[in-house]
Every structure is written in structure tokens, then in C-alpha cells.
Amino acid sequence: MAEEYPRKLRYGMIGGGAGSFIGDVHRKALQLTGRAELVCGCFGANVTNSLQMGRRLNVAVDRIYGDYRQMAAAEAGQPEKIDFVIIATPNHMHYEMVKTFLDLAFNVVCEKPLCFTWAEAQELQALATEKSVIVGVTYTYMGYLMVKEARRLVRMGDLGPINMVMAEYAQEWFAVSAVKNDGKAGRWRNVPAYGGPSNCVGDIGSHLEYLVSYLTGLEIDSLCANLRAVGQGAVLDTEAEILLKYKSGAGGIYWCSQVAVGSSNGLKIRIFGAKGSLEWEQENPEILKVNILGEPGRILKRGQKYLGEQTLAYCRLPAGHPEGFYEAFANIYFAYTEALFRRKEGVPPAAERDFPGIADGVRGVRFIEKCVESSRNGLWVKM
Ligand SMILES: NC(=O)c1ccc[n+]([C@@H]2O[C@H](COP(=O)([O-])OP(=O)(O)OC[C@H]3O[C@@H](n4cnc5c(N)ncnc54)[C@H](O)[C@@H]3O)[C@@H](O)[C@H]2O)c1
């Protein structure tokens, strides 16, 4: 991918300490873009943990913090303010952290879910608008090349009007952890005060909601959800079945589970239209299966010249050299940093910003809230 800008952006990070998962993925993804460097951070809940990781990452010691509020205040006073800050901590901290940095007019990238309640999410959106900053929310899977190709085909009308969407996200980690009794099942995702009102829908069902919206543009009219706490020690949901009606009249079924024995990260999506259908799986992300009525089925492969020009613009490696999770994440950051660079250089924004923004984060929180409400009351609810 072209790297057209002469100077790198500078960013800070909250979370992403030793042994954590996603913070390190953010950093590696940004390295892949070649467009930003890490200059400050609060990598843990205390100064010792934060220093341990910050030093390892070559961050200047006077810009490693043990408290994110201290970091926000100090960084706001820097002569050259960072271009954006990443929030990659457990869910319960997102709202306060995002708010703190938005208040000081920092651009922010926050992990999903954006916060716990729709009211909080709307407040953050209003604040982002008031401060005129650019917010990203990292719904990872939109970054895969073959997802982008699928979107292009759907948007071009190759499948005809969409009738039905079948989306699933199956994992087994909760079941495995409960049996091994390794403590992971009891960590923050399964604790309401830290994970939020939902575990499974919040953690992985929310990816399905965003992905379907990105691929099809379908808007949810109403849903009926059945959330269940399955598995030893489950406090919040670890399994959910969700029926959906979209405003267009199409229907959908989402299934997400953390107790689906045998499944590692089984995100799979099938979209059925009047003229055709397609199918994509996260664990086999290099291919997209497409069926057009009356024609032989096709398997499209990443990197091949027959893909759309806008899809190929994200291509990093020649076909047959697999790209994966890091590249997908990097593609989100490519589009996000593009938006920041354009604003900085006074270039008009791209016709479409190809990364999940604050409106997507707000809708995602609404979706989680509505699933919980529907399940609790045993009713269809309006989105
Ligand atoms: N987009 C994705 O595909 C994806 C994947 C996994 C997780 N996530 C999201 O990322 C977030 C983090 O998940 P994770 O699995 O990396 O969690 P984790 O528990 O592995 O890591 C959390 C990190 O936050 C740090 N932290 C905790 N309190 C802090 C504080 N007060 N100040 C600074 N740092 C603090 C911890 O020390 C740790 O380094 C969650 O919101 C989760 O939903 C997203």
C-alpha cells in the first residue's frame, strides 16, 4: 500500500500492558501502516505495570503514565499534541476514558463496545461533534479484504435485493476455561461491573451487528433475543440466539456463543438475495464464495486481479500469501489515519470514510441494550 505522507502521526495508548490481548494488535497493525508511532501511554492500572510495558516499547519515561487522567492532562499540554489516542482497556473504563480525552479535543480510537448504555454513547457522540474530532471504533472484521469485496458486490446489486442474513460467531473459550478452572472464565468479561450488561452479545454479537450493517447497509427494525448464561460459573450470557427484522423487510438470524465446543473464532456470514448469495468465514478469510442464480458457483480469492479496484487498494501481499487479523486491523488504521492526515493537510475528506466511526459505536451499544431488554422480557423490541 502506498505511504504518501511524509511525516508519521503520533499516538498514545491506554491499556495494552503485559499479557493483554488487543492493545498489542493495535500497535502491530499501526506498524504495518507505517503511518504512526507510539509516543506515550498508560499501559496498566498502576505505574509499575505501565513502566514495564512502556520501557519495552521504547516510550520516553516521562511520557509513561500510571493514570490515564494524568496522561490526558499532561499530553494536552505538550507543544506537539499527539494526533490520536487508543483505548484498549476492559469495557467498564471506556466511557470515562473516551469522555476524558474528547473533553480535551483528542481524536480517539476506542475498542468495542464504546460504553455500557445508549445514553452514554449518545453523550460521547455529541461531545465528539462539539469538539470536532475523529473517533474510530475497532470492529475488526470489516478490515478483511474479502469482506470489502463482498460489500462491493452487495452494494453493486449483484445479489439483488437482500432477503435474508445468517450470521454466527462461535467460540469455545468459556467452556474450555470453566473445565480447566484457569480463572479466565471469571475475569472481567463475565462480571457485569466490568463487562457490561452482556458478555457474549457485547463481546462478539456486536461484531455481527456491525459487520452485517457494513456489508449490506440493512437497518434493524426490531429483534427478538434469547440470551443464556450457559456453562459453569457463567453470570452473564455466554450464548445468544437473535431473530431480526430489517426495515427493508429482510430477515436475519444471528447466533453467538462462547460455549460452542470445537469452535475457536468461528465468525461466518451468509447473505441471500433474490439473484444470488455469498458466504465468508473469518477462519478462512482469503476466499469469498459467491453464487449467482443459474451460474456455476464461484470462489473468489484475495489478491486476484478480478477483484474490484477499491478492494485491491487494500492488498498488501500477492495472492496465495495469506493476510489475516493483523492486516485487517491495519486496514482500519489505514483508513483512520487517512482521515486524520487529510484533516491535518487541509485536504477534503474522502467520499466515504472506510472505518467504523462513532455512529457505528453508538448503534452497537443500542443493539446490545436491545438484545438484553428483549431477552429479559421475552419480547420483540424495536431498535
Ligand atoms: N476488536 C476486537 O477484535 C477485539 C478483540 C479482543 C478484545 N477487544 C476489546 O478490547 C478491550 C480489551 O480487551 P483485551 O482482551 O485486550 O483485555 P485484556 O484484559 O487482555 O487487556 C486489558 C489491558 O488493559 C489494562 N488496564 C486495565 N485497567 C487499566 C487502567 N485503569 N489504565 C490503563 N490500562 C488498564 C490491563 O493492564 C491490560 O493491559 C475490550 O473492550 C474488548 O472488548 C476487541
Side-chain angles (χ1 to χ4, degrees):
M1 292 174 90
E3 191 196 318
E4 322 85 341
Y5 296 101
R7 200 182 62 71
K8 286 192 178 188
L9 299 172
R10 288 174 303 268
Y11 74 96
M13 173 172 275
I14 323 290
S20 66
F21 173 32
I22 209 69
D24 188 55
V25 176
H26 284 256
R27 292 189 293 257
K28 291 198 165 89
L30 277 158
Q31 276 170 12
L32 278 180
T33 69
R35 287 177 152 196
E37 60 182 334
L38 178 68
V39 297
C40 61
C42 173
F43 304 101
N46 61 62
V47 86
T48 311
N49 288 350
S50 190
L51 272 169
Q52 184 194 9
M53 179 50 83
R55 283 202 174 108
R56 203 188 294 171
L57 295 167
N58 275 329
V59 176
V61 172
D62 62 347
R63 293 181 81 175
I64 303 172
Y65 305 89
D67 179 275
Y68 75 90
R69 286 196 172 86
Q70 192 196 350
M71 170 173 159
E75 289 298 325
Q78 285 283 341
E80 280 200 282
K81 201 173 161 185
I82 50 171
D83 296 289
F84 64 105
V85 64
I86 298 169
I87 292 164
T89 57
N91 302 351
H92 66 295
M93 290 173 250
H94 292 180
Y95 167 72
E96 283 298 341
M97 288 176 169
V98 173
K99 191 167 174 322
T100 300
F101 282 90
L102 289 184
D103 264 331
L104 293 166
F106 285 93
N107 297 303
V108 173
V109 173
C110 183
E111 263 305 339
K112 40 56 58 179
L114 181 61
C115 52
F116 279 3
T117 70
W118 194 46
E120 287 171 352
Q122 287 175 298
E123 188 192 328
L124 294 177
Q125 186 174 25
L127 189 55
T129 307
E130 180 197 321
K131 299 290 179 180
S132 192
V133 295
I134 302 179
V135 176
V137 182
T138 36
Y139 290 106
T140 314
Y141 303 103
M142 64 87 70
Y144 281 94
L145 224 92
M146 297 314 278
V147 167
K148 295 190 184 294
E149 180 67 3
R151 179 178 199 255
R152 195 182 71 83
L153 299 180
V154 173
R155 302 289 172 119
M156 282 196 326
D158 283 22
L159 309 189
I162 304 305
N163 290 329
M164 204 274 166
V165 178
M166 184 78 116
E168 63 185 62
Y169 198 154
Q171 301 179 327
E172 66 171 357
W173 68 266
F174 193 94
V176 172
S177 173
V179 170
K180 281 182 9 197
N181 202 16
D182 60 5
K184 194 180 168 202
R187 283 183 61 212
W188 62 264
R189 282 179 171 79
N190 182 38
V191 179
Y194 303 140
S198 156
N199 168 19
C200 189
V201 175
D203 204 37
I204 56 178
S206 56
H207 278 295
L208 297 178
E209 185 281 326
Y210 175 76
L211 196 56
V212 173
S213 167
Y214 178 69
L215 283 165
T216 66
L218 289 172
E219 292 176 55
I220 299 172
D221 172 75
S222 49
L223 59 83
C224 181
N226 183 32
L227 275 56
R228 294 179 291 133
V230 180
Q232 197 184 323
V235 176
L236 288 164
D237 52 303
T238 51
E239 163 88 28
E241 303 91 17
I242 306 160
L243 276 177
L244 302 112
K245 293 178 191 168
Y246 299 100
K247 288 183 183 165
S248 68
I253 301 176
Y254 300 168
W255 168 54
C256 51
S257 175
Q258 295 155 330
V259 289
V261 174
S263 305
S264 301
N265 200 50
L267 189 162
K268 175 173 171 177
I269 184 150
R270 284 184 286 166
I271 300 172
F272 298 91
K275 292 194 300 187
S277 68
L278 58 78
E279 179 176 329
W280 180 81
E281 285 180 72
Q282 199 275 157
E283 291 186 358
N284 196 6
E286 296 276 284
I287 63 164
L288 174 68
K289 294 182 187 166
V290 180
N291 283 286
I292 303 296
L293 207 60
E295 295 178 14
R298 282 182 279 158
I299 294 181
L300 308 184
K301 295 185 179 172
R302 189 198 59 77
Q304 296 291 354
K305 296 288 175 254
Y306 50 68
L307 302 180
E309 206 179 309
Q310 72 217 63
T311 307
L312 288 170
Y314 283 99
C315 206
R316 291 160 192 281
L317 290 168
H321 299 79
E323 290 184 357
F325 195 68
Y326 287 122
E327 285 86 354
F329 231 96
N331 290 341
I332 294 180
Y333 271 119
F334 190 82
Y336 182 74
T337 53
E338 181 70 25
L340 295 184
F341 272 125
R342 282 179 182 241
R343 177 170 287 189
K344 233 175 143 79
E345 310 278 325
V347 178
E352 187 191 32
R353 283 181 172 171
D354 196 21
F355 62 87
I358 185 117
D360 301 300
V362 174
R363 198 186 59 247
V365 172
R366 179 74 164 169
F367 172 74
I368 298 164
E369 212 169 67
K370 285 290 162 185
C371 285
V372 172
E373 180 190 328
S374 165
S375 184
R376 186 176 297 136
N377 301 324
L379 292 172
W380 278 89
V381 293
K382 282 275 183 193
M383 180 75 171

